[in-house]
Amino acid sequence: MDNDRKFIQNGKYLIEEANLDTMQSIDNYEDFSLQYIGSPDAKREWDKNPELTGDMFIHTRAYHAFKDEDNLILLGRTGTGKTAILRCLEWEVRHNSSDFGMAYNIAVMIEAEQFLKVLALYEMLDTNSTAANLQISEALRRIVYLSIMEKILDSCEKPTQYQAIYRFLTSAHELRGNLKYTKSQQARDKASIFAQAEILGTATEFGTILKDVQTVTRLFDILYATNYEAAREECKGYLNNKKVLVLIDTFETYDLSNAKMIQIIRNLLEVCFEFYNNPTKNIFVKIALPIEIYNRVLYGLPPKKSSNTVVIRWTNRELLAMVALRIVAGYQQGKLKGVLEDQGREILFDYCEQFSLSDFYADREKGISVAYENARNLLQNILPKECVTRCAYSCDAILYCMKHTLKKPRELMKMFDGFISQIIKNNNRDYYKINNGENIRDTVHAMEEYMIRSALSVYEDSYRGLGIACDEFFTDAVFVFEKNTPIVNKLKAAIVKAKEANWRHLTPAEQHTVESLLDETTFISVLMESGLIGEINSKKIQVNEKFFDANEPTCTIIADFEFKITRPNNYQLFAGRQYVIHPMCYEYYSCKVDRNTFVYLEKGKREAPIYHSQLIDL
């Protein structure tokens, strides 16, 4: 590969100095920020300016479905907006801004990492034992109640109004290292000791490592004080005839090879349903999780519980409305001036004045169609109608951008932030309309490494050497393939390469773990779950398509790259079926691509065929 590959970082092009021939590690990958159309970090964006962020929020089908109190689990790939949905729901309750918001008295946000910090105390436990699982579930319940109690006190003019809750939180916060309700130096010293004990997984005052349920129980009682029951009863009294919405945000990383981690998440889901099935119906706990962990954590849930799950699947129309809305919001905030100050705003993006944020909202009367048309009209001020490709045809420019993503908002935000950056840098509003749109292709290809690493990021703590295996498998690969001897050998070679690169840094015990986890079956499963490989649903040979330059026959491939809620063993290669590598990989890995073949992203086999003259809405 080209060692001078360009990347977009902080909205600007730069030449990467390091050797980029291989994506040897995805562990140290850092997400770069956006300059012009918001932040890719929903938590940061909502914390900084919740009103504006609420105005920029697209009310997708998944958002509306998850508002139903019967839906408790929100699934979506990394970067699809799970945190944004939770934050929007919390904001609506806090401001009573909708029928949904007025239905609840309190909304509580809990970061998932809070559970892992406390549950590190259980690292030495056998999670297969009934006693240990009961203790874990009790810890999870207490964290939920603890968060509700904190919210109750925060909403009161006088925290001492609820004496039992106040006493419990004071002692619990002292022991957990939280100084919010702590004043004395003695309490601070005590908090420091127990915070260290929590991190190390050791009981400092006992002088022993946690080995059994009894030890954990004693330490648990110390950490959470002995007046918890009285505080919980007072909390229940406060909640009488009230409804509380508890929203648990997703974990950042997962070690899917850790059985205890998986068991903790399953216990957390059980607690969610326990509150849901409580006859009082006053606490509703909803949780967001990456869909990539479904087969390892969620598969096997009883059908009744599976029906309480919402999956985020963005349509192209929703994505375009989201991007256009954010561009107009950035213009209204003066962000599109860039380094050229007033010139950038007056000359380059004045067409934004024709639109308001509400032009990109979908409502019950007009649906998404009007918002989509407005978005397309706006974006065609940035991009031409068509652009050239490295193959034998030209393509709808917006469709070309879309097909190089996994249809995640974060990907499109970064891509269009890069477009805006180059327009400002070159002081040319038609920068992407010259040279038959070749500049579009360069910017899109510059995004490929980010999108590949983003797709694999949720697996980085589980499978060491995954990036190396991808380099070996995809580099110079034929983009369409079947299960045959050459492909099986290529998979084996990728695994061998990854293990060889990692073994010299591992102990013998760790080498055995890598040997048992990273095999061909696991590797191909990750590639298909992440969307880097899709199954071909149909092929169509066509001549003289509207956007094709060549008169020779061309092939349209419609493939499914979406995560499918299915049996885990279905994520493997089957003889007689055809598969295709995702278009985002072609340039980065120098894949061997048929110049007369166009690959479409399709959500499922039941979708209608798509033609080049129209933007697909899947």
Side-chain angles (χ1 to χ4, degrees):
M1 291 184 186
D2 184 2
N3 291 347
D4 293 331
R5 184 181 294 111
K6 295 179 179 179
F7 293 88
I8 300 176
Q9 188 166 4
N10 296 325
K12 299 179 180 179
Y13 275 109
L14 58 89
I15 303 299
E16 185 69 32
E17 300 294 340
N19 186 334
L20 298 173
D21 278 351
T22 58
M23 189 176 67
Q24 294 188 358
S25 173
I26 57 178
D27 296 340
N28 297 322
Y29 176 70
E30 294 184 1
D31 201 16
F32 55 81
S33 61
L34 305 182
Q35 285 187 316
Y36 305 105
I37 59 174
S39 169
D41 185 337
K43 181 179 183 298
R44 184 186 309 166
E45 197 169 57
W46 279 92
D47 287 343
K48 183 178 181 180
N49 193 338
E51 286 74 21
L52 176 61
T53 305
D55 290 340
M56 294 190 299
F57 182 81
I58 295 292
H59 292 186
T60 60
R61 292 173 296 178
Y63 159 80
H64 287 294
F66 197 55
K67 293 171 75 171
D68 189 320
E69 66 180 29
D70 291 328
N71 291 326
L72 310 181
I73 305 171
L74 181 65
L75 298 178
R77 278 181 171 154
T78 304
T80 53
K82 297 183 295 296
T83 297
I85 289 178
L86 296 184
R87 289 283 174 153
C88 188
L89 296 182
E90 188 270 338
W91 189 84
E92 288 186 23
V93 173
R94 182 153 39 96
H95 293 273
N96 293 322
S97 61
S98 65
D99 292 341
F100 172 83
M102 290 186 287
Y104 294 90
N105 301 93
I106 296 177
V108 180
M109 284 291 303
I110 305 179
E111 302 297 331
E113 283 73 13
Q114 293 183 34
F115 297 100
L116 292 187
K117 289 178 181 178
V118 175
L119 292 171
L121 296 169
Y122 296 92
E123 186 61 31
M124 301 301 295
L125 288 179
D126 175 13
T127 50
N128 292 322
S129 72
T130 302
N133 280 319
L134 289 174
Q135 280 299 115
I136 292 174
S137 295
E138 178 60 19
L140 295 170
R141 290 187 208 98
R142 292 196 178 197
I143 293 172
V144 171
Y145 272 112
L146 180 71
S147 300
I148 294 174
M149 292 176 194
E150 290 173 348
K151 196 72 172 182
I152 291 173
L153 289 196
D154 288 342
S155 63
C156 295
E157 293 184 3
K158 295 181 179 180
T160 54
Q161 178 179 349
Y162 297 95
Q163 289 289 338
I165 293 176
Y166 183 78
R167 284 194 301 269
F168 167 65
L169 287 183
T170 301
S171 56
H173 278 237
E174 288 177 3
L175 297 172
R176 291 169 63 233
N178 188 324
L179 305 182
K180 183 173 181 179
Y181 299 100
T182 303
K183 296 180 180 179
S184 69
Q185 183 61 46
Q186 180 182 5
R188 291 171 184 266
D189 292 341
K190 194 174 184 181
S192 176
I193 292 173
F194 278 92
Q196 293 178 46
E198 181 177 331
I199 293 171
L200 297 175
T202 60
T204 304
E205 292 191 352
F206 300 128
T208 59
I209 296 177
L210 304 176
K211 292 183 179 179
D212 53 42
V213 175
Q214 289 73 27
T215 303
V216 173
T217 302
R218 290 196 298 270
L219 184 56
F220 185 86
D221 288 339
I222 293 174
L223 284 174
Y224 281 90
T226 57
N227 50 9
Y228 166 74
E229 293 298 334
R232 188 175 68 169
E233 289 304 312
E234 191 171 63
C235 180
K236 288 181 177 180
Y238 171 86
L239 296 178
N240 188 34
N241 296 323
K242 293 183 175 68
K243 287 178 67 176
V244 176
L245 178 65
V246 178
L247 301 166
I248 302 175
D249 204 355
T250 185
F251 294 92
E252 290 297 323
T253 58
Y254 292 82
D255 183 359
L256 299 175
S257 64
N258 187 334
K260 291 183 173 59
M261 161 73 86
I262 293 174
Q263 186 59 53
I264 287 171
I265 299 173
R266 287 175 175 165
N267 280 57
L268 183 55
L269 292 172
E270 289 297 328
V271 169
C272 291
F273 283 99
E274 179 183 300
F275 280 106
Y276 172 74
N277 293 320
N278 191 307
T280 60
K281 290 286 185 182
N282 56 6
I283 299 178
F284 293 86
V285 183
K286 294 174 179 279
I287 184 172
L289 294 168
I291 198 169
E292 293 93 336
I293 73 170
Y294 177 86
N295 290 332
R296 296 160 182 80
V297 178
L298 299 171
Y299 178 74
L301 281 176
K304 185 176 180 181
K305 293 184 178 180
S306 298
S307 65
N308 297 91
T309 300
V310 173
V311 178
I312 300 175
R313 299 195 192 281
W314 283 77
T315 68
N316 283 348
R317 294 185 174 192
E318 290 170 343
L319 287 169
L320 293 186
M322 179 273 301
V323 170
L325 193 157
R326 285 178 169 272
I327 290 174
V328 172
Y331 176 80
Q332 292 178 353
Q333 292 179 287
K335 290 183 178 181
L336 303 196
K337 291 181 180 180
V339 296
L340 299 175
E341 299 300 333
D342 288 340
Q343 287 187 44
R345 180 173 182 177
E346 298 295 333
I347 299 174
L348 301 179
F349 302 101
D350 56 325
Y351 51 80
C352 289
E353 294 179 0
Q354 304 172 28
F355 301 90
S356 64
L357 299 186
S358 61
D359 289 331
F360 310 106
Y361 296 160
D363 56 36
R364 292 181 179 178
E365 294 182 2
K366 65 183 181 182
I368 190 65
S369 58
V370 175
Y372 157 71
E373 290 299 334
N374 290 334
R376 192 167 177 84
N377 290 336
L378 172 71
L379 297 179
Q380 285 182 344
N381 287 283
I382 297 176
L383 303 179
K385 186 175 182 180
E386 305 170 27
C387 68
V388 298
T389 71
R390 296 196 189 279
C391 298
Y393 51 82
S394 58
C395 175
D396 180 292
I398 296 177
L399 173 57
Y400 179 79
C401 296
M402 199 72 70
K403 87 183 194 76
H404 282 83
T405 74
L406 284 168
K407 300 178 70 173
K408 301 178 181 180
R410 191 177 296 172
E411 295 172 334
L412 270 295
M413 287 170 62
K414 289 184 181 294
M415 189 177 291
F416 277 86
D417 199 77
F419 290 151
I420 292 170
S421 174
Q422 287 302 298
I423 289 172
I424 292 176
K425 178 181 178 180
N426 291 276
N427 193 28
N428 184 356
R429 69 188 301 167
D430 294 325
Y431 177 76
Y432 286 102
K433 296 183 179 180
I434 60 178
N435 301 328
N436 295 319
E438 286 187 5
N439 294 332
I440 297 175
R441 184 184 64 200
D442 293 339
T443 301
V444 169
H445 288 323
M447 294 287 298
E448 289 180 348
E449 184 186 27
Y450 159 73
M451 290 186 285
I452 294 169
R453 291 188 174 190
S454 175
L456 296 173
S457 61
V458 75
Y459 303 99
E460 64 184 18
D461 285 350
S462 306
Y463 308 113
R464 300 180 66 169
L466 181 58
I468 298 173
C470 288
D471 292 333
E472 183 69 18
F473 180 75
F474 285 122
T475 300
D476 296 325
V478 178
F479 78 123
V480 174
F481 62 90
E482 298 178 353
K483 182 180 181 180
N484 52 33
T485 301
I487 287 295
V488 172
N489 290 339
K490 196 169 181 64
L491 284 170
K492 291 180 178 179
I495 299 303
V496 170
K497 186 86 169 183
K499 290 178 179 178
E500 288 177 347
N502 279 285
W503 275 8
R504 62 178 179 270
H505 304 296
L506 304 177
T507 65
E510 290 174 328
Q511 288 177 6
H512 174 73
T513 301
V514 172
E515 176 73 33
S516 62
L517 290 177
L518 197 58
D519 55 27
E520 297 95 275
T521 302
T522 302
F523 182 46
I524 198 65
S525 176
V526 168
L527 296 183
M528 298 182 76
E529 290 173 5
S530 64
L532 297 187
I533 289 178
E535 183 176 351
I536 295 177
N537 290 336
S538 66
K539 286 184 178 181
K540 185 177 182 180
I541 305 298
Q542 298 162 312
V543 179
N544 295 326
E545 275 283 343
K546 181 177 180 181
F547 292 126
F548 281 72
D549 294 331
N551 290 323
E552 55 193 289
T554 56
C555 178
T556 299
I557 290 177
I558 300 178
D560 185 3
F561 296 95
E562 287 280 359
F563 188 99
K564 296 180 285 293
I565 304 297
T566 182
R567 293 179 179 273
N569 59 8
N570 283 349
Y571 274 105
Q572 57 181 297
L573 302 181
F574 292 96
R577 300 184 188 178
Q578 286 192 311
Y579 303 88
V580 61
I581 298 172
H582 194 286
M584 72 167 65
C585 301
Y586 298 164
E587 186 75 11
Y588 184 80
Y589 288 115
S590 300
C591 296
K592 298 175 181 177
V593 181
D594 183 352
R595 64 189 300 270
N596 292 330
T597 300
F598 191 90
V599 179
Y600 279 116
L601 281 60
E602 186 192 38
K603 195 166 67 176
K605 295 183 179 181
R606 293 176 293 178
E607 301 291 348
I610 308 304
Y611 301 97
H612 301 286
S613 58
Q614 61 189 94
L615 180 66
I616 50 179
D617 181 24
L618 304 178

PDB file of all heavy atoms in Angstrom, residues 338-352:
ATOM      1  N   GLY A 338     -14.456  29.201   9.244  1.00  0.00           N
ATOM      2  CA  GLY A 338     -13.135  28.593   9.131  1.00  0.00           C
ATOM      3  C   GLY A 338     -12.023  29.608   9.308  1.00  0.00           C
ATOM      4  O   GLY A 338     -12.172  30.629   9.976  1.00  0.00           O
ATOM      5  N   VAL A 339     -10.887  29.372   8.653  1.00  0.00           N
ATOM      6  CA  VAL A 339      -9.726  30.242   8.797  1.00  0.00           C
ATOM      7  C   VAL A 339      -9.873  31.512   7.984  1.00  0.00           C
ATOM      8  O   VAL A 339      -9.084  32.439   8.129  1.00  0.00           O
ATOM      9  CB  VAL A 339      -8.440  29.502   8.365  1.00  0.00           C
ATOM     10  CG1 VAL A 339      -8.177  28.336   9.280  1.00  0.00           C
ATOM     11  CG2 VAL A 339      -8.555  29.029   6.925  1.00  0.00           C
ATOM     12  N   LEU A 340     -10.863  31.584   7.089  1.00  0.00           N
ATOM     13  CA  LEU A 340     -11.005  32.743   6.208  1.00  0.00           C
ATOM     14  C   LEU A 340     -11.976  33.772   6.783  1.00  0.00           C
ATOM     15  O   LEU A 340     -12.347  34.724   6.106  1.00  0.00           O
ATOM     16  CB  LEU A 340     -11.481  32.292   4.819  1.00  0.00           C
ATOM     17  CG  LEU A 340     -10.521  31.343   4.109  1.00  0.00           C
ATOM     18  CD1 LEU A 340     -11.136  30.858   2.810  1.00  0.00           C
ATOM     19  CD2 LEU A 340      -9.204  32.023   3.845  1.00  0.00           C
ATOM     20  N   GLU A 341     -12.379  33.591   8.020  1.00  0.00           N
ATOM     21  CA  GLU A 341     -13.283  34.512   8.685  1.00  0.00           C
ATOM     22  C   GLU A 341     -14.532  34.767   7.852  1.00  0.00           C
ATOM     23  O   GLU A 341     -15.186  33.857   7.401  1.00  0.00           O
ATOM     24  CB  GLU A 341     -12.533  35.820   9.021  1.00  0.00           C
ATOM     25  CG  GLU A 341     -11.350  35.598   9.965  1.00  0.00           C
ATOM     26  CD  GLU A 341     -11.779  34.992  11.302  1.00  0.00           C
ATOM     27  OE1 GLU A 341     -12.920  35.205  11.722  1.00  0.00           O
ATOM     28  OE2 GLU A 341     -10.967  34.296  11.920  1.00  0.00           O
ATOM     29  N   ASP A 342     -14.850  36.042   7.603  1.00  0.00           N
ATOM     30  CA  ASP A 342     -16.118  36.366   6.953  1.00  0.00           C
ATOM     31  C   ASP A 342     -16.202  35.856   5.519  1.00  0.00           C
ATOM     32  O   ASP A 342     -17.275  35.569   5.016  1.00  0.00           O
ATOM     33  CB  ASP A 342     -16.344  37.877   6.962  1.00  0.00           C
ATOM     34  CG  ASP A 342     -16.690  38.370   8.356  1.00  0.00           C
ATOM     35  OD1 ASP A 342     -17.112  37.539   9.180  1.00  0.00           O
ATOM     36  OD2 ASP A 342     -16.528  39.569   8.604  1.00  0.00           O
ATOM     37  N   GLN A 343     -15.067  35.745   4.845  1.00  0.00           N
ATOM     38  CA  GLN A 343     -15.115  35.245   3.462  1.00  0.00           C
ATOM     39  C   GLN A 343     -15.711  33.846   3.412  1.00  0.00           C
ATOM     40  O   GLN A 343     -16.525  33.541   2.547  1.00  0.00           O
ATOM     41  CB  GLN A 343     -13.716  35.199   2.856  1.00  0.00           C
ATOM     42  CG  GLN A 343     -13.149  36.567   2.525  1.00  0.00           C
ATOM     43  CD  GLN A 343     -11.844  36.429   1.774  1.00  0.00           C
ATOM     44  OE1 GLN A 343     -11.739  35.616   0.860  1.00  0.00           O
ATOM     45  NE2 GLN A 343     -10.850  37.190   2.176  1.00  0.00           N
ATOM     46  N   GLY A 344     -15.299  33.015   4.365  1.00  0.00           N
ATOM     47  CA  GLY A 344     -15.788  31.645   4.360  1.00  0.00           C
ATOM     48  C   GLY A 344     -17.289  31.576   4.496  1.00  0.00           C
ATOM     49  O   GLY A 344     -17.948  30.801   3.825  1.00  0.00           O
ATOM     50  N   ARG A 345     -17.841  32.434   5.340  1.00  0.00           N
ATOM     51  CA  ARG A 345     -19.282  32.390   5.564  1.00  0.00           C
ATOM     52  C   ARG A 345     -20.044  33.084   4.439  1.00  0.00           C
ATOM     53  O   ARG A 345     -21.035  32.578   3.943  1.00  0.00           O
ATOM     54  CB  ARG A 345     -19.615  33.057   6.899  1.00  0.00           C
ATOM     55  CG  ARG A 345     -21.106  33.053   7.190  1.00  0.00           C
ATOM     56  CD  ARG A 345     -21.394  33.555   8.579  1.00  0.00           C
ATOM     57  NE  ARG A 345     -22.813  33.506   8.866  1.00  0.00           N
ATOM     58  CZ  ARG A 345     -23.352  33.837  10.026  1.00  0.00           C
ATOM     59  NH1 ARG A 345     -22.568  34.238  11.000  1.00  0.00           N
ATOM     60  NH2 ARG A 345     -24.641  33.775  10.211  1.00  0.00           N
ATOM     61  N   GLU A 346     -19.576  34.222   4.010  1.00  0.00           N
ATOM     62  CA  GLU A 346     -20.323  34.996   3.025  1.00  0.00           C
ATOM     63  C   GLU A 346     -20.284  34.340   1.646  1.00  0.00           C
ATOM     64  O   GLU A 346     -21.281  34.304   0.942  1.00  0.00           O
ATOM     65  CB  GLU A 346     -19.734  36.416   2.933  1.00  0.00           C
ATOM     66  CG  GLU A 346     -19.826  37.220   4.215  1.00  0.00           C
ATOM     67  CD  GLU A 346     -21.257  37.520   4.594  1.00  0.00           C
ATOM     68  OE1 GLU A 346     -22.119  37.571   3.691  1.00  0.00           O
ATOM     69  OE2 GLU A 346     -21.534  37.694   5.794  1.00  0.00           O
ATOM     70  N   ILE A 347     -19.126  33.794   1.261  1.00  0.00           N
ATOM     71  CA  ILE A 347     -18.967  33.319  -0.109  1.00  0.00           C
ATOM     72  C   ILE A 347     -19.260  31.834  -0.235  1.00  0.00           C
ATOM     73  O   ILE A 347     -19.903  31.399  -1.184  1.00  0.00           O
ATOM     74  CB  ILE A 347     -17.524  33.599  -0.602  1.00  0.00           C
ATOM     75  CG1 ILE A 347     -17.267  35.108  -0.587  1.00  0.00           C
ATOM     76  CG2 ILE A 347     -17.294  33.019  -1.981  1.00  0.00           C
ATOM     77  CD1 ILE A 347     -15.841  35.474  -0.910  1.00  0.00           C
ATOM     78  N   LEU A 348     -18.842  31.051   0.717  1.00  0.00           N
ATOM     79  CA  LEU A 348     -18.824  29.609   0.532  1.00  0.00           C
ATOM     80  C   LEU A 348     -20.124  28.911   0.944  1.00  0.00           C
ATOM     81  O   LEU A 348     -20.528  27.948   0.312  1.00  0.00           O
ATOM     82  CB  LEU A 348     -17.659  29.003   1.330  1.00  0.00           C
ATOM     83  CG  LEU A 348     -16.267  29.525   0.948  1.00  0.00           C
ATOM     84  CD1 LEU A 348     -15.217  28.861   1.824  1.00  0.00           C
ATOM     85  CD2 LEU A 348     -15.981  29.281  -0.518  1.00  0.00           C
ATOM     86  N   PHE A 349     -20.771  29.362   1.987  1.00  0.00           N
ATOM     87  CA  PHE A 349     -21.897  28.607   2.529  1.00  0.00           C
ATOM     88  C   PHE A 349     -23.151  29.461   2.711  1.00  0.00           C
ATOM     89  O   PHE A 349     -24.017  29.118   3.517  1.00  0.00           O
ATOM     90  CB  PHE A 349     -21.509  27.981   3.874  1.00  0.00           C
ATOM     91  CG  PHE A 349     -20.312  27.079   3.782  1.00  0.00           C
ATOM     92  CD1 PHE A 349     -19.061  27.520   4.181  1.00  0.00           C
ATOM     93  CD2 PHE A 349     -20.429  25.804   3.270  1.00  0.00           C
ATOM     94  CE1 PHE A 349     -17.950  26.702   4.092  1.00  0.00           C
ATOM     95  CE2 PHE A 349     -19.324  24.967   3.174  1.00  0.00           C
ATOM     96  CZ  PHE A 349     -18.088  25.419   3.584  1.00  0.00           C
ATOM     97  N   ASP A 350     -23.280  30.552   1.956  1.00  0.00           N
ATOM     98  CA  ASP A 350     -24.440  31.426   2.137  1.00  0.00           C
ATOM     99  C   ASP A 350     -25.750  30.742   1.751  1.00  0.00           C
ATOM    100  O   ASP A 350     -26.828  31.168   2.156  1.00  0.00           O
ATOM    101  CB  ASP A 350     -24.269  32.721   1.342  1.00  0.00           C
ATOM    102  CG  ASP A 350     -24.018  32.460  -0.139  1.00  0.00           C
ATOM    103  OD1 ASP A 350     -23.350  31.460  -0.441  1.00  0.00           O
ATOM    104  OD2 ASP A 350     -24.482  33.259  -0.972  1.00  0.00           O
ATOM    105  N   TYR A 351     -25.687  29.665   0.978  1.00  0.00           N
ATOM    106  CA  TYR A 351     -26.910  28.953   0.619  1.00  0.00           C
ATOM    107  C   TYR A 351     -27.599  28.352   1.840  1.00  0.00           C
ATOM    108  O   TYR A 351     -28.782  28.003   1.798  1.00  0.00           O
ATOM    109  CB  TYR A 351     -26.625  27.848  -0.403  1.00  0.00           C
ATOM    110  CG  TYR A 351     -25.505  26.909  -0.014  1.00  0.00           C
ATOM    111  CD1 TYR A 351     -25.710  25.869   0.878  1.00  0.00           C
ATOM    112  CD2 TYR A 351     -24.219  27.062  -0.548  1.00  0.00           C
ATOM    113  CE1 TYR A 351     -24.685  25.019   1.248  1.00  0.00           C
ATOM    114  CE2 TYR A 351     -23.194  26.205  -0.197  1.00  0.00           C
ATOM    115  CZ  TYR A 351     -23.425  25.190   0.703  1.00  0.00           C
ATOM    116  OH  TYR A 351     -22.408  24.348   1.054  1.00  0.00           O
ATOM    117  N   CYS A 352     -26.872  28.213   2.960  1.00  0.00           N
ATOM    118  CA  CYS A 352     -27.480  27.693   4.185  1.00  0.00           C
ATOM    119  C   CYS A 352     -28.576  28.623   4.707  1.00  0.00           C
ATOM    120  O   CYS A 352     -29.449  28.195   5.468  1.00  0.00           O
ATOM    121  CB  CYS A 352     -26.420  27.499   5.267  1.00  0.00           C
ATOM    122  SG  CYS A 352     -25.271  26.127   4.956  1.00  0.00           S
TER     123      CYS A 352
END
